[in-house]
Amino acid sequence: MTPLMTIEDLAVRYGKHQVLSGISFVINKGDYIGVAGPNGSGKTTLIKAMLGLLPVAEGQISFNNNAAHDPYIGYLPQKAIQSDGLFPATVREVVAMGLLAPKKGPRFYNASDQEKVGKVLKRLDIADLSDHKIGNLSGGQQQRVLLARALAGSPSLLILDEPTSALDPQIRESFYELLGDLNRVDGVTILLVSHDMASIGKYTKKLLYLDRRVIFFGTYEEFCSSEEMSSYFGPLSQHQICWRHS
Amino acid sequence: MYFDLIVESLEFDFIRRALLVGILISLCCAFLGIFLVLRKLSMIGDGLAHVSFATVALALFLSASPLIVTIPLVVLASFAILALSEKAGLHGDAAIGLVSSFSIALGVLIASLARGFNVDLMSYLFGSILVISRAEVIISVVLSFSVLAVVIYYFNSLFVVTYDEDFARVLGLNTRVMNYLVAILTAITISLGIRVVGTMLISSLIVFPTVTALQVSKGFKSSILIAVTVAVVSVILGVFSSYIFNLPTGATIVLFNGAFFLISFLVRRLRLV
């Protein structure tokens, strides 16, 4: 197991209101971690802090120093910010945004960037949509485009914030299958935030359960055999998660 | 016959100057317009134009060059709008409304204190591109090229910030600096543009080309291309038409912009693209 990112004793506050405290866990290369917890448990706050969108009050978030290139986190939000049909952006233009992270100065695209965009569109099976306006696509197609944008820059870690909350159940399943495939076949390290405990249990390899602090972090085997978790969740809820995973 | 008049008009220095300055400023407006309109900040152009009314009044009152006085003060006003939105927790439109109405009141006050320059002030209200001086041409050319160079340099970054500010921050872009950059460039463009179409109409040069492009374009780059074409062609048609038919130049330019919007709107409604 190669550590990729270490979160140590992290605390995040909104003004005087403490949202997260004492958060510590390690993300290894190739992990697929599901982040779950009740409403207001700090799931989105955690990923915003990891992405640098919120200041860290205490503790630290650090990438493994042995990283071959500058670490970059790919990010997939709940839905496209500009999802209406009037915003003029083609799929190719949106995906290319993901390549800007390592660029300095004018951040112009070159021929190899166009090639990378073509590859990721093909990998996610949306090459035929490359010249379509993103706002004219379905919710599922838009999420695939944003996933392609997050993957375009070959991120060290991919963070997804409730990516399927606006999708139909059938499209949701195929989206989760695609993520699983990216993790298994392409070796993408993934942190997936979701309310959907059943899907998290079914598709991810590790569970991080939050309630303003870490309630559980580990593999499903550890989770399912933990008496502490049985008493925390109740045997029935624990079984439902474990049954989906097996 | 019209062609002969166009050729004849090009012999005049003031027409050539008007075309040069008009085209450059309309290019700046079109490039910036797409970022402002898509971020729902179209009214910042209108607000800063109102500020420029007060600054021109002040410059005339002090017998100073309106352009020299206007540019720094309008830049400061754009900062004030951003600061009010960020620090005072006001929505962007409310901050623009505050600064804009305060400036108009100030301008009217200064104008009433010095009745002698009301005619000059009127020329800034509705534009007077045909009487632009050589010094103003030089300043306008230098600043327009600077604005265009900065927008092109930061083009891809500005696109990401416009599309998804959170994602831009994840990419490591300083979105706050980008917002202030757009504010500065807009302030400079507005200050230059009031000579072309006046404080009352300058925001139309920012809004019309972009909304025209949005009716028919699929992508961001194609939108810019359409907006730039509409902006430049409107200036050229406006300058020549005003010469041939003896019409006010600024208003004619805006009306051509309006006509292009109507055409693109109909093209979209009739699903021709």
Side-chain angles (χ1 to χ4, degrees):
Chain A
M1 287 289 174
T2 314
L4 180 74
M5 186 189 237
T6 306
I7 286 98
E8 281 178 281
D9 208 20
L10 179 78
V12 183
R13 296 188 191 104
Y14 286 116
K16 288 180 182 172
H17 182 62
Q18 181 105 358
V19 183
L20 290 172
S21 63
I23 305 290
S24 296
F25 64 98
V26 175
I27 301 172
N28 291 315
K29 219 173 168 187
D31 270 352
Y32 186 0
I33 300 170
V35 182
N39 283 335
S41 59
K43 301 185 294 291
T44 298
T45 302
L46 172 67
I47 60 167
K48 282 193 169 175
M50 291 171 72
L51 290 164
L53 299 175
L54 278 178
V56 170
E58 285 167 34
Q60 59 176 2
I61 299 168
S62 54
F63 262 104
N64 172 22
N65 290 333
N66 300 323
H69 54 84
D70 280 348
Y72 156 63
I73 301 177
Y75 170 55
L76 178 66
Q78 284 185 18
K79 64 182 190 113
I81 304 290
Q82 305 282 359
S83 54
D84 67 79
L86 260 188
F87 196 99
T90 63
V91 166
R92 183 170 278 278
E93 285 173 333
V94 172
V95 174
M97 288 177 193
L99 295 167
L100 290 180
K103 294 183 187 292
K104 303 285 175 220
R107 296 177 193 257
F108 292 144
Y109 298 117
N110 54 36
S112 98
D113 290 332
Q114 295 305 329
E115 214 172 286
K116 283 179 193 166
V117 170
K119 268 186 191 169
V120 76
L121 288 174
K122 210 170 168 187
R123 173 69 185 87
L124 298 192
D125 221 9
I126 48 173
D128 55 325
L129 301 177
S130 67
D131 293 323
H132 284 59
K133 196 190 246 190
I134 186 166
N136 290 344
L137 303 180
S138 69
Q141 287 171 325
Q142 286 190 12
Q143 280 307 76
R144 275 191 183 236
V145 173
L146 295 188
L147 179 60
R149 180 181 73 167
L151 290 170
S154 306
S156 314
L157 171 65
L158 177 64
I159 293 183
L160 305 100
D161 185 12
E162 307 264 9
T164 60
S165 57
L167 304 184
D168 297 334
Q170 204 180 346
I171 296 166
R172 194 180 298 170
E173 282 299 304
S174 71
F175 192 80
Y176 280 128
E177 276 163 22
L178 173 64
L179 290 178
D181 209 33
L182 286 169
N183 175 253
R184 272 192 316 276
V185 180
D186 301 40
V188 179
T189 308
I190 301 175
L191 190 88
L192 167 72
V193 173
S194 179
H195 271 104
D196 185 358
M197 280 297 286
S199 295
I200 279 194
K202 185 175 176 185
Y203 291 103
T204 63
K205 291 177 185 169
K206 284 183 181 172
L207 174 67
L208 172 65
Y209 195 88
L210 290 177
D211 196 356
R212 295 172 179 253
R213 61 190 173 89
V214 176
I215 302 296
F216 177 83
F217 177 65
T219 63
Y220 284 92
E221 288 71 27
E222 289 163 342
F223 177 79
C224 298
S225 59
S226 164
E227 285 182 18
E228 193 188 340
M229 289 301 109
S230 286
S231 59
Y232 185 88
F233 285 97
L236 184 62
S237 299
Q238 188 191 27
H239 173 73
Q240 279 175 342
I241 298 167
C242 296
W243 173 79
R244 294 287 289 182
H245 186 70
S246 58
Chain B
M1 187 182 85
Y2 291 146
F3 182 73
D4 291 341
L5 282 171
I6 289 170
V7 174
E8 176 199 293
S9 73
L10 286 170
E11 288 170 11
F12 296 109
D13 204 22
F14 70 90
I15 290 286
R16 290 199 301 268
R17 283 182 196 169
L19 281 172
L20 175 66
V21 172
I23 287 171
L24 282 174
I25 290 168
S26 67
L27 278 173
C28 294
C29 287
F31 266 99
L32 284 169
I34 195 147
F35 299 111
L36 295 172
V37 169
L38 291 173
R39 300 190 73 187
K40 300 179 176 65
L41 287 172
S42 313
M43 290 313 290
I44 198 168
D46 216 37
L48 293 179
H50 290 159
V51 174
S52 70
F53 169 75
T55 61
V56 168
L58 181 67
L60 294 175
F61 186 64
L62 299 173
S63 303
S65 158
L67 210 49
I68 302 291
V69 173
T70 295
I71 291 173
L73 290 179
V74 175
V75 168
L76 283 178
S78 71
F79 287 175
I81 289 170
L82 286 181
L84 279 171
S85 308
E86 283 177 10
K87 306 244 162 68
L90 294 178
H91 287 298
D93 56 347
I96 292 167
L98 276 183
V99 173
S100 153
S101 50
F102 180 79
S103 304
I104 287 275
L106 203 62
V108 170
L109 199 71
I110 297 169
S112 73
L113 286 175
R115 288 174 198 153
F117 59 74
N118 283 345
V119 176
D120 287 337
L121 194 58
M122 280 298 284
S123 80
Y124 280 92
L125 271 177
F126 297 103
S128 52
I129 193 175
L130 299 182
V131 295
I132 194 163
S133 71
R134 186 171 288 275
E136 283 174 321
V137 171
I138 293 168
I139 295 173
S140 299
V141 169
V142 170
L143 288 178
S144 298
F145 273 115
S146 307
V147 168
L148 289 172
V150 173
V151 173
I152 290 167
Y153 188 85
Y154 288 107
F155 184 82
N156 286 327
S157 303
L158 289 170
F159 174 43
V160 185
V161 174
T162 304
Y163 185 77
D164 184 346
E165 199 160 326
D166 272 356
F167 190 75
R169 288 167 68 196
V170 171
L171 289 173
L173 298 175
N174 190 330
T175 55
R176 197 159 178 263
V177 167
M178 288 291 153
N179 289 335
Y180 274 88
L181 184 69
V182 170
I184 293 170
L185 298 176
T186 306
I188 294 171
T189 304
I190 296 286
S191 305
L192 298 174
I194 54 173
R195 209 56 172 128
V196 180
V197 291
T199 56
M200 297 293 283
L201 296 173
I202 181 64
S203 65
S204 60
L205 287 193
I206 286 180
V207 177
F208 267 121
T210 297
V211 294
T212 301
L214 293 185
Q215 301 303 311
V216 291
S217 66
K218 280 184 188 171
F220 200 73
K221 279 185 187 150
S222 58
S223 297
I224 289 270
L225 278 176
I226 294 170
V228 160
T229 308
V230 166
V232 170
V233 172
S234 296
V235 166
I236 294 170
L237 291 176
V239 169
F240 287 135
S241 303
S242 69
Y243 175 80
I244 295 167
F245 302 107
N246 195 24
L247 300 169
T249 315
T252 311
I253 291 170
V254 174
L255 287 176
F256 272 111
N257 268 295
F260 279 120
F261 170 71
L262 202 62
I263 292 166
S264 68
F265 176 74
L266 288 173
V267 165
R268 181 166 172 242
R269 292 291 292 179
L270 298 171
R271 298 178 193 279
L272 297 177
V273 289

